[in-house]
Amino acid sequence: MTDSADSRWTHAGHGRPESSEPPPTTTAIAAGMQLPAGFAAIAEDAELGPAISTSMARVERVLREAISNSDPLADATSKHLMEAGGKRIRPLLTILAAHLGDSERAEVLQAAAVVELTHLATLYHDDVMDSAPYRRGAPTAHEVWGNTVAILAGDLIFARASILVSDLGGRALAIQARTFERLCLGQLHETVGPRDGEDPLQHYISVLSDKTGSLIAASGQFGVIFSGAPSEYESVLVDYGEKVGVAFQLADDVIDVTGGKVTSGKIAGTDLREGVPTLPVLLLRRAAADGDASAQRVLGFVDADLSGDDALAAAVDAIASHPVTEQSWAVAREWADAAKAALRPLPEGVVKDSLAAFADAVVERRA
């Protein structure tokens, strides 16, 4: 008996479990969507607002279909983080960039799903490497199923992203492959730290560019390519994405060491406890090496045993009250301003304004 295309997909693990409920309609998904901070101009635009919401709802349906699995364990683990929520910033940037061209092309939705699946997959791996207990308010996959299953779930989602991107052609595959390479290299370089003689701060920025900037850049690039927008906008969105991605992660790292866990979803001091060097700590060490007594005092808290909650809280408070915190916000703002400057070649309008507002929003998340 010859397998049909549908049965081959099922044998490969695709398809919904028999017990799954029918998926919600696009209208129902769109009605429940809330755009992230910085995109108010979209929501207020009578034409663009509904178009973006509808497109994002369609992307959500593509995502749900892409990670559905006929194997119950694979289905549950793959859906775990997606069902926990998330801002969907990367697919939103794809959709928004696509409004520089023909946003109605089906390839745009598929590309938007690819970048979100890729992002989701990295989170599974990051949480294992960081031993993170929670993600998006829910227990991480490795806490529920163990490290091996969590890693394999991430791999499975990467595979689904690869299947989707393969339909988009060789150029999309090349962009995805290069982005995936940078994601891996960024994590590797963060893990091993700077080489002898390498400036720790430059190393850190390079890691952020690879781990965060690369995928955000690819998100906008896909939107331009698959909407058929003018080709000169492609480099604009790549440049913007790289810079706004660094700004976003800089802000996230400052929030981690200043106690702003309510809106960021992060547990304050996670990076400190794990020994991950972030901008405030790097600036602190530089100041201490230059003889700053206050920085040397704060380092005493940072370099102490932070396994206890009281010690961690003391370290967080010490950094938050030191000038390096404001210095770090200033650096993040510089990157956000550079991202906005990269947008100059784009035509005036809601798309350009929204991208600029998002750059401002990522460095205004003080809590």
Side-chain angles (χ1 to χ4, degrees):
M1 177 178 175
T2 303
D3 288 338
S4 67
D6 285 344
S7 67
R8 286 198 297 274
W9 275 75
T10 302
H11 289 170
H14 293 259
R16 298 188 189 91
E18 293 180 3
S19 60
S20 66
E21 297 179 358
T25 64
T26 299
T27 303
I29 297 173
M33 298 201 72
Q34 186 173 0
L35 295 177
F39 292 102
I42 296 175
E44 294 167 0
D45 188 277
E47 204 170 298
L48 189 60
I52 292 285
S53 294
T54 299
S55 293
M56 289 299 293
R58 288 171 176 162
V59 171
E60 199 71 15
R61 293 196 70 182
V62 174
L63 289 171
R64 295 183 188 196
E65 180 66 29
I67 65 172
S68 292
N69 204 298
S70 57
D71 179 279
L73 177 60
D75 189 69
T77 55
S78 297
K79 289 179 177 177
H80 182 68
L81 270 185
M82 199 191 82
E83 292 182 343
K87 300 180 182 68
R88 305 289 192 260
I89 287 171
R90 290 154 189 84
L92 176 56
L93 290 175
T94 301
I95 298 298
L96 187 57
H99 278 268
L100 295 167
D102 180 4
S103 63
E104 293 298 314
R105 294 183 178 183
E107 294 89 347
V108 171
L109 300 181
Q110 193 152 329
V114 166
V115 294
E116 183 64 11
L117 287 174
T118 303
H119 173 59
L120 282 171
T122 65
L123 298 184
Y124 281 79
H125 292 174
D126 285 351
D127 287 342
V128 170
M129 287 183 281
D130 296 342
S131 299
Y134 294 98
R135 168 76 69 174
R136 298 174 176 174
T140 49
H142 70 87
E143 289 285 331
V144 179
W145 292 285
N147 286 350
T148 301
V149 171
I151 291 170
L152 290 171
D155 291 345
L156 181 57
I157 296 173
F158 270 129
R160 294 294 170 86
S162 298
I163 291 170
L164 286 183
V165 80
S166 68
D167 290 337
L168 295 174
R171 188 158 183 231
L173 271 170
I175 293 170
Q176 173 76 347
R178 284 194 293 270
T179 302
F180 188 26
E181 178 186 42
R182 289 184 62 190
L183 291 170
C184 294
L185 286 173
Q187 186 61 59
L188 176 65
H189 293 155
E190 180 181 81
T191 301
V192 302
R195 298 185 298 271
D196 290 342
E198 184 179 8
D199 178 56
L201 188 53
Q202 290 300 317
H203 170 85
Y204 167 69
I205 295 296
S206 175
V207 166
L208 299 192
S209 183
D210 284 339
K211 284 190 63 177
T212 305
S214 64
L215 188 55
I216 291 180
S219 301
Q221 186 177 15
F222 277 158
V224 171
I225 291 172
F226 292 109
S227 68
S231 58
E232 59 266 28
Y233 295 163
E234 190 178 334
S235 61
V236 173
L237 268 295
V238 169
D239 190 21
Y240 167 83
E242 293 278 356
K243 290 179 169 64
V244 83
V246 171
F248 184 95
Q249 195 58 53
L250 283 170
D252 223 33
D253 288 351
V254 179
I255 289 170
D256 177 80
V257 297
T258 55
K261 65 180 179 179
V262 176
T263 57
S264 72
K266 296 187 72 174
I267 298 173
T270 298
D271 291 335
L272 288 177
R273 177 171 278 166
E274 296 297 324
V276 177
T278 53
L279 184 59
V281 175
L282 291 170
L283 293 178
L284 197 66
R285 294 195 186 283
R286 177 179 287 182
D290 290 340
D292 185 328
S294 65
Q296 293 167 358
R297 180 185 63 81
V298 174
L299 275 182
F301 290 96
V302 173
D303 292 336
D305 180 1
L306 300 182
S307 57
D309 290 343
D310 289 343
L312 183 62
V316 168
D317 290 343
I319 294 181
S321 61
H322 193 275
V324 294
T325 294
E326 284 307 314
Q327 293 168 19
S328 298
W329 280 118
V331 173
R333 165 54 66 187
E334 288 174 4
W335 280 91
D337 287 344
K340 290 163 61 179
L343 297 172
R344 287 194 188 107
L346 295 186
E348 299 300 324
V350 179
V351 172
K352 184 176 182 178
D353 291 345
S354 296
L355 291 170
F358 174 65
D360 285 330
V362 300
V363 293
E364 291 170 358
R365 302 173 296 141
R366 295 276 178 142

PDB file of all heavy atoms in Angstrom, residues 157-174:
ATOM      1  N   ILE A 157      10.920  21.292  17.394  1.00  0.00           N
ATOM      2  CA  ILE A 157      10.375  22.567  16.918  1.00  0.00           C
ATOM      3  C   ILE A 157      11.296  23.181  15.863  1.00  0.00           C
ATOM      4  O   ILE A 157      10.832  23.757  14.873  1.00  0.00           O
ATOM      5  CB  ILE A 157      10.140  23.523  18.100  1.00  0.00           C
ATOM      6  CG1 ILE A 157       9.068  22.941  19.029  1.00  0.00           C
ATOM      7  CG2 ILE A 157       9.694  24.896  17.599  1.00  0.00           C
ATOM      8  CD1 ILE A 157       8.876  23.716  20.311  1.00  0.00           C
ATOM      9  N   PHE A 158      12.612  23.061  16.059  1.00  0.00           N
ATOM     10  CA  PHE A 158      13.546  23.490  15.020  1.00  0.00           C
ATOM     11  C   PHE A 158      13.267  22.752  13.714  1.00  0.00           C
ATOM     12  O   PHE A 158      13.306  23.337  12.621  1.00  0.00           O
ATOM     13  CB  PHE A 158      14.985  23.208  15.445  1.00  0.00           C
ATOM     14  CG  PHE A 158      15.655  24.321  16.200  1.00  0.00           C
ATOM     15  CD1 PHE A 158      16.286  24.072  17.402  1.00  0.00           C
ATOM     16  CD2 PHE A 158      15.665  25.621  15.696  1.00  0.00           C
ATOM     17  CE1 PHE A 158      16.907  25.091  18.106  1.00  0.00           C
ATOM     18  CE2 PHE A 158      16.289  26.644  16.392  1.00  0.00           C
ATOM     19  CZ  PHE A 158      16.915  26.382  17.603  1.00  0.00           C
ATOM     20  N   ALA A 159      12.997  21.461  13.815  1.00  0.00           N
ATOM     21  CA  ALA A 159      12.713  20.663  12.618  1.00  0.00           C
ATOM     22  C   ALA A 159      11.462  21.171  11.908  1.00  0.00           C
ATOM     23  O   ALA A 159      11.430  21.272  10.667  1.00  0.00           O
ATOM     24  CB  ALA A 159      12.548  19.192  12.994  1.00  0.00           C
ATOM     25  N   ARG A 160      10.442  21.504  12.689  1.00  0.00           N
ATOM     26  CA  ARG A 160       9.212  22.014  12.081  1.00  0.00           C
ATOM     27  C   ARG A 160       9.463  23.355  11.395  1.00  0.00           C
ATOM     28  O   ARG A 160       8.912  23.646  10.334  1.00  0.00           O
ATOM     29  CB  ARG A 160       8.120  22.141  13.145  1.00  0.00           C
ATOM     30  CG  ARG A 160       7.675  20.790  13.721  1.00  0.00           C
ATOM     31  CD  ARG A 160       6.988  19.947  12.658  1.00  0.00           C
ATOM     32  NE  ARG A 160       6.756  18.582  13.076  1.00  0.00           N
ATOM     33  CZ  ARG A 160       5.686  18.166  13.760  1.00  0.00           C
ATOM     34  NH1 ARG A 160       4.776  19.022  14.142  1.00  0.00           N
ATOM     35  NH2 ARG A 160       5.556  16.889  14.061  1.00  0.00           N
ATOM     36  N   ALA A 161      10.280  24.193  12.016  1.00  0.00           N
ATOM     37  CA  ALA A 161      10.639  25.468  11.383  1.00  0.00           C
ATOM     38  C   ALA A 161      11.364  25.221  10.064  1.00  0.00           C
ATOM     39  O   ALA A 161      11.138  25.918   9.065  1.00  0.00           O
ATOM     40  CB  ALA A 161      11.510  26.300  12.326  1.00  0.00           C
ATOM     41  N   SER A 162      12.223  24.216  10.045  1.00  0.00           N
ATOM     42  CA  SER A 162      12.975  23.886   8.828  1.00  0.00           C
ATOM     43  C   SER A 162      12.054  23.412   7.718  1.00  0.00           C
ATOM     44  O   SER A 162      12.264  23.729   6.535  1.00  0.00           O
ATOM     45  CB  SER A 162      14.026  22.816   9.138  1.00  0.00           C
ATOM     46  OG  SER A 162      14.956  23.287  10.085  1.00  0.00           O
ATOM     47  N   ILE A 163      11.031  22.638   8.083  1.00  0.00           N
ATOM     48  CA  ILE A 163      10.073  22.169   7.080  1.00  0.00           C
ATOM     49  C   ILE A 163       9.343  23.356   6.452  1.00  0.00           C
ATOM     50  O   ILE A 163       9.187  23.439   5.224  1.00  0.00           O
ATOM     51  CB  ILE A 163       9.064  21.184   7.715  1.00  0.00           C
ATOM     52  CG1 ILE A 163       9.772  19.879   8.089  1.00  0.00           C
ATOM     53  CG2 ILE A 163       7.897  20.915   6.769  1.00  0.00           C
ATOM     54  CD1 ILE A 163       8.941  18.949   8.937  1.00  0.00           C
ATOM     55  N   LEU A 164       8.908  24.287   7.302  1.00  0.00           N
ATOM     56  CA  LEU A 164       8.189  25.453   6.786  1.00  0.00           C
ATOM     57  C   LEU A 164       9.084  26.324   5.910  1.00  0.00           C
ATOM     58  O   LEU A 164       8.659  26.789   4.848  1.00  0.00           O
ATOM     59  CB  LEU A 164       7.647  26.292   7.950  1.00  0.00           C
ATOM     60  CG  LEU A 164       6.445  25.748   8.721  1.00  0.00           C
ATOM     61  CD1 LEU A 164       6.010  26.744   9.788  1.00  0.00           C
ATOM     62  CD2 LEU A 164       5.277  25.438   7.794  1.00  0.00           C
ATOM     63  N   VAL A 165      10.311  26.552   6.356  1.00  0.00           N
ATOM     64  CA  VAL A 165      11.188  27.449   5.594  1.00  0.00           C
ATOM     65  C   VAL A 165      11.629  26.808   4.284  1.00  0.00           C
ATOM     66  O   VAL A 165      11.920  27.504   3.305  1.00  0.00           O
ATOM     67  CB  VAL A 165      12.405  27.881   6.447  1.00  0.00           C
ATOM     68  CG1 VAL A 165      13.479  26.821   6.489  1.00  0.00           C
ATOM     69  CG2 VAL A 165      12.994  29.196   5.933  1.00  0.00           C
ATOM     70  N   SER A 166      11.662  25.482   4.238  1.00  0.00           N
ATOM     71  CA  SER A 166      12.072  24.810   3.000  1.00  0.00           C
ATOM     72  C   SER A 166      11.095  25.092   1.867  1.00  0.00           C
ATOM     73  O   SER A 166      11.474  25.080   0.692  1.00  0.00           O
ATOM     74  CB  SER A 166      12.199  23.301   3.226  1.00  0.00           C
ATOM     75  OG  SER A 166      10.931  22.718   3.458  1.00  0.00           O
ATOM     76  N   ASP A 167       9.825  25.352   2.221  1.00  0.00           N
ATOM     77  CA  ASP A 167       8.824  25.683   1.200  1.00  0.00           C
ATOM     78  C   ASP A 167       9.009  27.092   0.643  1.00  0.00           C
ATOM     79  O   ASP A 167       8.417  27.440  -0.373  1.00  0.00           O
ATOM     80  CB  ASP A 167       7.413  25.574   1.790  1.00  0.00           C
ATOM     81  CG  ASP A 167       7.014  24.137   2.079  1.00  0.00           C
ATOM     82  OD1 ASP A 167       7.587  23.236   1.451  1.00  0.00           O
ATOM     83  OD2 ASP A 167       6.145  23.933   2.946  1.00  0.00           O
ATOM     84  N   LEU A 168       9.810  27.895   1.323  1.00  0.00           N
ATOM     85  CA  LEU A 168       9.967  29.297   0.927  1.00  0.00           C
ATOM     86  C   LEU A 168      11.135  29.520  -0.029  1.00  0.00           C
ATOM     87  O   LEU A 168      11.371  30.645  -0.469  1.00  0.00           O
ATOM     88  CB  LEU A 168      10.142  30.179   2.171  1.00  0.00           C
ATOM     89  CG  LEU A 168       8.931  30.231   3.105  1.00  0.00           C
ATOM     90  CD1 LEU A 168       9.270  31.010   4.380  1.00  0.00           C
ATOM     91  CD2 LEU A 168       7.725  30.851   2.412  1.00  0.00           C
ATOM     92  N   GLY A 169      11.889  28.459  -0.315  1.00  0.00           N
ATOM     93  CA  GLY A 169      12.946  28.576  -1.302  1.00  0.00           C
ATOM     94  C   GLY A 169      14.343  28.663  -0.728  1.00  0.00           C
ATOM     95  O   GLY A 169      14.543  28.785   0.489  1.00  0.00           O
ATOM     96  N   GLY A 170      15.325  28.600  -1.639  1.00  0.00           N
ATOM     97  CA  GLY A 170      16.722  28.527  -1.243  1.00  0.00           C
ATOM     98  C   GLY A 170      17.206  29.745  -0.486  1.00  0.00           C
ATOM     99  O   GLY A 170      18.016  29.635   0.443  1.00  0.00           O
ATOM    100  N   ARG A 171      16.748  30.934  -0.860  1.00  0.00           N
ATOM    101  CA  ARG A 171      17.230  32.129  -0.174  1.00  0.00           C
ATOM    102  C   ARG A 171      16.764  32.145   1.281  1.00  0.00           C
ATOM    103  O   ARG A 171      17.512  32.504   2.189  1.00  0.00           O
ATOM    104  CB  ARG A 171      16.738  33.379  -0.889  1.00  0.00           C
ATOM    105  CG  ARG A 171      17.397  34.619  -0.289  1.00  0.00           C
ATOM    106  CD  ARG A 171      17.384  35.791  -1.237  1.00  0.00           C
ATOM    107  NE  ARG A 171      18.097  36.894  -0.614  1.00  0.00           N
ATOM    108  CZ  ARG A 171      17.613  38.111  -0.505  1.00  0.00           C
ATOM    109  NH1 ARG A 171      16.415  38.396  -0.995  1.00  0.00           N
ATOM    110  NH2 ARG A 171      18.306  39.064   0.068  1.00  0.00           N
ATOM    111  N   ALA A 172      15.508  31.771   1.494  1.00  0.00           N
ATOM    112  CA  ALA A 172      14.986  31.717   2.864  1.00  0.00           C
ATOM    113  C   ALA A 172      15.750  30.683   3.683  1.00  0.00           C
ATOM    114  O   ALA A 172      16.065  30.905   4.863  1.00  0.00           O
ATOM    115  CB  ALA A 172      13.499  31.388   2.845  1.00  0.00           C
ATOM    116  N   LEU A 173      16.043  29.554   3.062  1.00  0.00           N
ATOM    117  CA  LEU A 173      16.824  28.518   3.743  1.00  0.00           C
ATOM    118  C   LEU A 173      18.196  29.044   4.148  1.00  0.00           C
ATOM    119  O   LEU A 173      18.677  28.781   5.256  1.00  0.00           O
ATOM    120  CB  LEU A 173      16.981  27.296   2.838  1.00  0.00           C
ATOM    121  CG  LEU A 173      15.912  26.218   2.913  1.00  0.00           C
ATOM    122  CD1 LEU A 173      16.100  25.216   1.781  1.00  0.00           C
ATOM    123  CD2 LEU A 173      15.949  25.508   4.267  1.00  0.00           C
ATOM    124  N   ALA A 174      18.827  29.801   3.262  1.00  0.00           N
ATOM    125  CA  ALA A 174      20.154  30.337   3.545  1.00  0.00           C
ATOM    126  C   ALA A 174      20.104  31.329   4.695  1.00  0.00           C
ATOM    127  O   ALA A 174      20.971  31.320   5.586  1.00  0.00           O
ATOM    128  CB  ALA A 174      20.734  30.991   2.297  1.00  0.00           C
TER     129      ALA A 174
END
